[in-house]
Amino acid sequence: MFRAKNLLIFFAAIVLAAAFMVQPSFSQAQELEKYVTDTATAEKGMTLWQTLAAGGALMIVLGLLSIAGLALVIYYFIVMKSEKLLPANFVEKVTTFLGQGKYDDVRLACRESENLLSEVVLAGLENRGKGKLVIKEAMEDQGRRNIDRLWLRLSYLSDVAVISPLVGLLGTILGMM
């Protein structure tokens, strides 16, 4: 069964294989050279798409990877804010309820709010009568799972950052050949 990360790597491999199959032929290279050396184009400059097309299939792959990387960065800036992951009002509410011994209110507040701390506190509340060591271990395990989920999301950006220079190097080597 494919995990999402494996699916991303599989997709990148398919794109690279397609790039090898679509390498520009000699006649296409002559057309690109004629297009780039055209005086009207040189005076106006090239558009972004013209630059990508002049670079060949691997340049288009690099452009797509750049778009994917930028989209991931924007998405993470929107989704992974400290106010969303650990809201201050939630922390105050839970701390107050725990100080007063209102465990049912804490449980209700945790179920109403979806954030990193709510799942950790719920794990502790579920093991409340089992001793301090069991409670601590349950909360630490839940915290580790939450952090692992965050790192898994960030690993997609890491994959793009690792693949892009390799594709660029491959394009450089093929261009020199």
Side-chain angles (χ1 to χ4, degrees):
M1 188 164 80
F2 279 110
R3 287 186 7 209
K5 184 175 181 179
N6 294 339
L7 193 61
L8 180 67
I9 294 170
F10 179 70
F11 176 71
I14 289 174
V15 169
L16 281 175
F20 278 120
M21 288 187 273
V22 185
Q23 277 297 314
S25 65
F26 183 70
S27 63
Q28 289 174 331
Q30 286 177 339
E31 285 180 32
L32 285 175
E33 183 180 321
K34 183 174 65 174
Y35 180 74
V36 171
T37 57
D38 184 25
T39 56
T41 305
E43 289 174 5
K44 289 191 301 188
M46 293 175 64
T47 65
L48 178 61
W49 178 249
Q50 291 168 341
T51 304
L52 289 175
L58 288 177
M59 189 69 164
I60 293 172
V61 172
L62 275 176
L64 293 174
L65 285 171
S66 297
I67 291 169
L70 182 62
L72 286 171
V73 167
I74 292 169
Y75 173 75
Y76 293 147
F77 269 115
I78 292 170
V79 172
M80 292 190 183
K81 290 185 177 181
S82 60
E83 298 90 34
K84 288 187 177 185
L85 297 176
L86 195 62
N89 59 353
F90 174 77
V91 173
E92 281 182 34
K93 187 190 310 185
V94 168
T95 306
T96 305
F97 287 152
L98 285 174
Q100 296 171 354
K102 299 180 179 179
Y103 299 115
D104 291 333
D105 292 336
V106 172
R107 186 173 283 120
L108 182 64
C110 288
R111 288 194 176 128
E112 289 175 353
S113 177
E114 288 187 26
N115 56 56
L116 295 177
L117 186 62
S118 66
E119 295 175 7
V120 173
V121 172
L122 272 176
L125 285 176
E126 289 173 2
N127 296 297
R128 191 171 61 141
K130 298 179 182 175
K132 289 183 179 181
L133 186 62
V134 174
I135 292 172
K136 179 182 174 187
E137 194 170 308
M139 292 175 78
E140 286 176 352
D141 287 342
Q142 185 61 46
R144 270 189 229 105
R145 280 191 292 260
N146 290 348
I147 296 300
D148 287 343
R149 277 195 314 234
L150 287 176
W151 278 112
L152 180 66
R153 286 182 180 177
L154 290 175
S155 72
Y156 298 128
L157 185 59
S158 173
D159 291 342
V160 170
V162 168
I163 292 171
S164 296
L166 297 175
V167 171
L169 181 62
L170 179 65
T172 301
I173 291 170
L174 291 175
M176 290 171 61
M177 289 172 38

